[in-house]
Every structure is written in C-alpha cells, then in structure tokens.
Amino acid sequence: MRQADESYVEMEELLEKSGQFIAEQLGVEDAYITAGCYAALVLASATVMTGSDPDKCAQLPDTTGLKDEIVFQKMQHYGYDRAFTIPGSKLISVGDENGCTAETLNDAIGENTAAVAYLIQPDQGNAVPLAEAVGIAHSHNLPLIADAASQIYPLDYFRRNAQSADLVCFGGKYFNAPHSTGFVCGRKDLIETVRTHGFIGPRPVGRGMKVDRQEIIGLVTAIDIWLSTNHEVRSKEQDGRYAVLAEGLENLDGVSCEVHYQEKSHTLSNLHVAFDTAISGKDAAQVAQELDVGTPRIKVNTHGKETIVISAYTLNAGEEDIIANALRHLLRG
C-alpha cells in the first residue's frame, strides 16, 4: 500500500486489472473492488435494475419505468439487507421467519422483479437452498445477488461461493484487507454495469463509495496472501496461544479451558474458559465487563453465565499472556 501511494495511476485501468486478478484467483468471469461488502450490494442492486442502458443508469434513484423489486426470503433478513434498497429498489419479503418453499419463492417473482437476493450462510436452515434459488431466478431470466460477506474459509468454500451466483459480494476485512474494502464478482456483463455505477462512472450512483489506489492494492495483496496461506499452520499457531492461556489458568480452582473449532469460519477457533461462579464471586458478564474497563482493555464474549470466549484471531504475539494474567486476577476469588 505504501508503494501504491508513490505513483498516480489510471483508476479505471487499476479497477479493471485488479478485478481480473481476483476473478482468476476465484474462478469467476470478472470482479470489481468496492468500498466494503455493503457498497458491493448497493452497486449490484443498481445493476440489476438498469442493465447497461445509460439512460436508466443515470436516472437512479428514480426507478420510474424500471423493474425495481428484489425478492428476498424473510427468514434471511439481517441488519444490512437495507443495502438492497439504497439505489431505489424495493425489497420484497417472501415466506416467513421459519422458512420458505421453492413454490413460494417462485410465485413471488412478478413483472416488476429485477432479481432475487440471497444471504449465504453455513447453515441455511429452512431457506430455499442457494442452488435451487439460483435455478428459480434463472427460470425467469433474472440474476441472483448473493451476500457472502465473511464466507471465505475453507478456501474451496470461498471459491464455491464466489462461483455460486450471478453477483456475489464479499467483505475484504475478513481476509485481512483494509476494513473499508470489499468486492463483487460474477458474470462479466453484470460486472461491467457495476463499474458504470461505481465511483468513476459517467453519472455514478456510487460516487460516494470511493476506494483509493492504496486500498485496491491492499485488497489484491490480502486476497493473494489469504489464498496462498497454509491455514493448518495458522490454526496450530492459534492453538499455541490457547495453550499459553490454559497454562496460565491451570492452577485456579473451578476453571477449565477447551478449544472449540469452527468449520466454516475465517477465525478458525476460540477458547471457552469455564469457571465456578461460587468461587470467583462473579458471573461471565461481570468478568467480561471488568476486562473491558481494565488496563489494557480486553474484549471477550460470553457463553451462558459461567463461560467466557476468547478468539486468538485478532491477538498479537504475547497478548495471550496479558489476558491470562488479567483472568487469573479476576477468577481466583
């Protein structure tokens, strides 16, 4: 990123070449780097309404005369699904909180439908499966937009997700790119329209969603590193930090430590520290609060009243010792 700061570039070319690099790495037709996954979803939503028609592109967020409805399963609603509506589109909920059938999803598609949206998660519950939802969208000659923000590990899962729909959106922060970056990948014709709506288009709806050359190179470098990293070694390194934490707490009465592995999470694992509240005199929420206001500040999660959860993913070398010392002081009673 420092090297990128030393030179001026043609931004259009940089976005094109960086997108081609990502596409080659993930086995898709094309990609476009954005100001985070949310921005990717906004640009994708604009794209499915306008296509490549320059007049339609220019009229957003006025959707008069455009197909402006995006169909989305109600049980998949989440805090950021507002992104699908930002360029003027409407989110049409189908099914209920408990699930959706393929027939219900199919019947919800009408003359004003521009696309189907989907939230990719490891466990889809009673939602219509992704592949089936894509098939339903395609049967109506419509694209499917997928939010796969953090679904990047294992690496074959990352690639399968990238290849799973017409437009798939990811957050760069999950593979250690700048927090303010992300990308959308998929069909080349649709990505070309995403570029039109991006911040250097002729009248771009995404003008405020800028990324600079340093961020673009940061994301390209980060995804290159992520896809070439030996994640088994990374997992063992995290285990080593948990071992230090467990050793620092092993002589405390009523305290036990157990590593929990997460099959489809970029963070890989976490450490559950269970303790006897009768001995410590405080529950997990109280321990977490005291860690949070301590010096240095330590952030942990809780699981029930007697367990705190620690992730090594964001720790720097040696910080496990700091956490062990703080916990030893709080849990010894």
Side-chain angles (χ1 to χ4, degrees), residues 260-315:
H260 287 229
Y261 296 96
Q262 299 161 293
E263 182 181 355
K264 290 183 178 178
S265 172
H266 62 288
T267 60
L268 300 179
S269 59
N270 51 51
L271 182 71
H272 284 223
V273 180
F275 59 94
D276 188 335
T277 57
I279 296 175
S280 65
K282 44 181 79 80
D283 63 19
Q286 290 171 305
V287 171
Q289 173 64 18
E290 292 192 38
L291 289 171
D292 187 38
V293 299
T295 303
R297 184 185 190 191
I298 298 170
K299 297 288 289 186
V300 297
N301 290 320
T302 62
H303 181 73
K305 293 185 177 182
E306 298 184 337
T307 303
I308 62 170
V309 182
I310 301 166
S311 174
Y313 180 68
T314 57
L315 295 183

Side-chain angles (χ1 to χ4, degrees), residues 114-128:
V116 175
Y118 202 94
L119 176 64
I120 297 179
Q121 302 173 89
D123 180 7
Q124 297 296 344
N126 293 323
V128 177

Side-chain angles (χ1 to χ4, degrees), residues 1 7-8 46 50 55 73 75-76 99 158 172 212 271 316 333:
M1 290 176 71
S7 301
Y8 287 98
T50 65
D55 293 331
Q73 297 177 67
M75 71 168 296
Q76 293 191 329
F158 188 5
D212 61 27
L271 182 71
N316 295 316

Side-chain angles (χ1 to χ4, degrees), residues 240-251 255-259 271 273 320 324:
R241 292 182 177 178
Y242 296 139
V244 171
L245 275 161
E247 183 178 354
L249 302 174
E250 64 182 354
N251 294 323
V255 177
S256 63
C257 298
E258 182 180 7
V259 178
L271 182 71
V273 180
E320 60 271 26

Side-chain angles (χ1 to χ4, degrees), residues 28-161:
V28 296
E29 293 182 8
D30 205 354
Y32 179 83
I33 292 176
T34 63
C37 186
Y38 194 96
L41 293 169
V42 173
L43 298 176
S45 299
T47 292
V48 298
M49 288 192 291
T50 65
S52 59
D53 186 318
D55 293 331
K56 292 180 179 179
C57 290
Q59 80 174 59
L60 293 182
D62 176 7
T63 63
T64 303
L66 304 181
K67 295 182 177 181
D68 61 359
E69 295 179 354
I70 297 177
V71 174
F72 190 50
Q73 297 177 67
K74 188 170 185 177
M75 71 168 296
Q76 293 191 329
H77 276 284
Y78 61 114
Y80 303 137
D81 59 23
R82 187 179 182 183
F84 295 112
T85 71
I86 296 300
S89 35
K90 303 177 183 69
L91 204 57
I92 306 300
S93 297
V94 297
D96 57 31
E97 294 84 353
N98 299 315
C100 183
T101 66
E103 182 180 10
T104 300
L105 180 61
N106 182 74
D107 291 347
I109 295 173
E111 61 180 11
N112 290 321
T113 304
V116 175
Y118 202 94
L119 176 64
I120 297 179
Q121 302 173 89
D123 180 7
Q124 297 296 344
N126 293 323
V128 177
L130 175 58
E132 190 171 359
V134 170
I136 291 170
H138 288 181
S139 72
H140 293 270
N141 199 30
L142 295 173
L144 186 141
I145 305 170
D147 181 347
S150 64
Q151 305 306 310
I152 60 164
Y153 182 82
L155 300 183
D156 60 344
Y157 177 65
F158 188 5
R159 291 189 171 96
R160 285 200 308 273
N161 287 333

